[in-house]
Amino acid sequence: MGFSAAPLIYLVIFVAVVVIVEGLYLVAFGKSISLNSRLSRRLTLLEKNANRELVLEQLRKELNQHLNAKNIPLYSVFAKKAQRAAIAFSPTALVGIMGLVAIFAFLMLTLMTEAAFGLRIILAILMGIGGVYVWVNRKAKKRMSLLEEQLPDSIELMVRSLRVGHPFSTAIGIVAKEIPDPLGSEFGVIADEAAYGREVTESLKAFAERMDSQDLRFLAVAVTIQQQSGGNLAEILDGLSKVIRARFKLFRRVAAITSEAKWSGQFLSAFPILALVMINVIKPDYYDAVRETAAFIPAALFVVVFLVINIIFMKIMTNIKV
């Protein structure tokens, strides 16, 4: 019985590509971009550079640069997720990293496998783009999850600040100092923009649209309505924090109830692919008897099409909207 380690080598190289991208990110920006840090990126930059205006300019550039670079080929696939993840790399740098890790993948494939030259090039390009995409997607999901958890507490902190007599802009500044990233730096940018003359409501609306978050839109609308028609902003935000917290609990409950169905869908979608990989690892010559027949290519394409349809329908069936 033959044994081929090539599929496992491909997997190891792909994981190494993702790890290298994360390592380059940490080397370039240090711990200031870590979401686990108690000190927000904005405060870390202010410690290094006391010029508030320069720090605001840098953060605004980082927060808006990705959606402004959709015209770069293939980058539109990454732009929205990179925007949500607030990737500090510039779009050009991110594209350069794709090329760098693709070269690394090609060298590893050349050293560790006997794949044809054309196949190595294709796999290296796919690993370079796919590795960066997986990394950006993971960063975006983690950041959005933390943001959703922090938002009710941040609003309640603003409510307490308003009730003791602070203006709303000061309440936002307090949140920027007390809450870690991602909301710490985001609200810090809003507070700095307000200090330089921009309307707080405009900054909140821009933040909500950039993150594509319904809860942030609720916050922006509540503040806008209060400023236009008056009312007790502290009471409005207190009610909003309760609504957002209730929504968050509902989403978590739905996620817990549907987790089994989602895992089943993911398993059923991944099992045929994993089975194919294992067959090629354990017995590489399994398909040799039919590989040269006229029906092999059409049958393979037929299976691939139905696998894609299966993955799409499994995603639709387990993606429950609330």
Side-chain angles (χ1 to χ4, degrees), residues 128-146:
I129 297 174
V132 174
Y133 180 84
V134 168
W135 176 75
V136 170
N137 186 53
R138 184 168 58 86
K139 288 283 186 184
K141 285 184 176 180
K142 181 179 179 181
R143 191 169 188 268
M144 289 301 297
S145 177
L146 281 173

Side-chain angles (χ1 to χ4, degrees), residues 169-246:
S169 57
T170 303
I172 290 179
I174 292 172
V175 171
K177 292 179 181 178
E178 298 297 329
I179 301 295
D181 279 340
L183 276 182
S185 291
E186 293 282 2
F187 275 104
V189 169
I190 294 173
D192 289 342
E193 287 178 339
Y196 287 107
R198 189 180 187 185
E199 289 290 335
V200 174
T201 54
E202 292 181 9
S203 298
L204 285 172
K205 288 177 183 177
F207 178 33
E209 293 304 319
R210 189 172 68 247
M211 292 292 101
D212 193 20
S213 169
Q214 193 64 40
D215 292 336
L216 287 172
R217 290 191 182 100
F218 290 156
L219 175 61
V221 169
V223 175
T224 301
I225 292 174
Q226 189 277 335
Q227 290 195 353
Q228 291 177 353
S229 60
N232 191 331
L233 183 57
E235 293 301 322
I236 295 172
L237 294 182
D238 184 47
L240 178 60
S241 70
K242 292 176 181 177
V243 170
I244 293 175
R245 199 177 292 280

Side-chain angles (χ1 to χ4, degrees), residues 5-294:
L8 296 179
I9 293 173
Y10 298 156
L11 178 61
V12 170
I13 294 174
F14 182 77
V15 173
V17 164
V18 178
V19 172
I20 287 172
V21 176
E22 178 69 18
L24 291 173
Y25 196 52
L26 291 174
V27 170
F29 299 101
K31 294 183 178 180
S32 68
I33 43 82
S34 175
L35 294 178
N36 299 321
S37 175
R38 184 65 184 85
L39 197 64
S40 69
R41 175 163 171 76
R42 172 177 169 269
L43 294 179
T44 302
L45 292 175
L46 284 173
E47 282 187 353
K48 296 178 181 178
N49 182 4
N51 191 320
R52 186 179 179 185
E53 186 175 356
L54 291 178
V55 171
L56 173 61
E57 183 180 351
Q58 179 179 347
L59 289 175
R60 289 186 67 182
K61 181 181 177 181
E62 291 177 1
L63 295 174
N64 295 294
Q65 61 186 344
H66 297 287
L67 285 183
N68 297 331
K70 284 187 174 181
N71 57 338
I72 299 177
L74 295 177
Y75 196 77
S76 58
V77 179
F78 296 82
K80 191 170 183 179
K81 291 186 180 296
Q83 189 77 24
R84 288 186 173 188
I87 300 298
F89 280 134
S90 68
T92 305
L94 207 55
V95 172
I97 288 172
M98 289 182 208
L100 182 64
V101 294
I103 293 172
F104 168 81
F106 178 79
L107 292 175
M108 291 298 99
L109 289 169
T110 302
L111 293 173
M112 302 174 68
T113 68
E114 297 179 357
F117 180 77
L119 179 60
R120 276 179 280 151
I121 291 178
I122 294 172
L123 286 175
I125 293 173
L126 291 176
M127 286 182 181
I129 297 174
V132 174
Y133 180 84
V134 168
W135 176 75
V136 170
N137 186 53
R138 184 168 58 86
K139 288 283 186 184
K141 285 184 176 180
K142 181 179 179 181
R143 191 169 188 268
M144 289 301 297
S145 177
L146 281 173
L147 187 146
E148 290 170 355
E149 289 184 14
Q150 290 177 336
L151 188 57
D153 293 334
S154 300
I155 295 176
E156 289 176 358
L157 181 56
M158 284 190 280
V159 169
R160 291 194 294 271
S161 300
L162 291 170
R163 283 175 174 167
V164 298
H166 293 301
F168 184 60
S169 57
T170 303
I172 290 179
I174 292 172
V175 171
K177 292 179 181 178
E178 298 297 329
I179 301 295
D181 279 340
L183 276 182
S185 291
E186 293 282 2
F187 275 104
V189 169
I190 294 173
D192 289 342
E193 287 178 339
Y196 287 107
R198 189 180 187 185
E199 289 290 335
V200 174
T201 54
E202 292 181 9
S203 298
L204 285 172
K205 288 177 183 177
F207 178 33
E209 293 304 319
R210 189 172 68 247
M211 292 292 101
D212 193 20
S213 169
Q214 193 64 40
D215 292 336
L216 287 172
R217 290 191 182 100
F218 290 156
L219 175 61
V221 169
V223 175
T224 301
I225 292 174
Q226 189 277 335
Q227 290 195 353
Q228 291 177 353
S229 60
N232 191 331
L233 183 57
E235 293 301 322
I236 295 172
L237 294 182
D238 184 47
L240 178 60
S241 70
K242 292 176 181 177
V243 170
I244 293 175
R245 199 177 292 280
R247 277 167 49 85
F248 184 72
K249 289 180 180 179
L250 177 62
F251 291 152
R252 283 295 180 89
R253 186 175 181 182
V254 171
I257 293 172
T258 60
S259 59
E260 182 180 355
K262 288 184 177 181
W263 277 106
S264 298
Q266 291 173 3
F267 175 78
L268 292 173
S269 299
F271 180 76
I273 300 173
L274 294 175
L276 180 63
V277 171
M278 290 306 299
I279 289 172
N280 280 278
V281 170
I282 297 171
K283 191 172 177 57
D285 58 347
Y286 184 80
Y287 295 105
D288 285 355
V290 296
R291 196 184 300 275
E292 301 300 328
T293 61

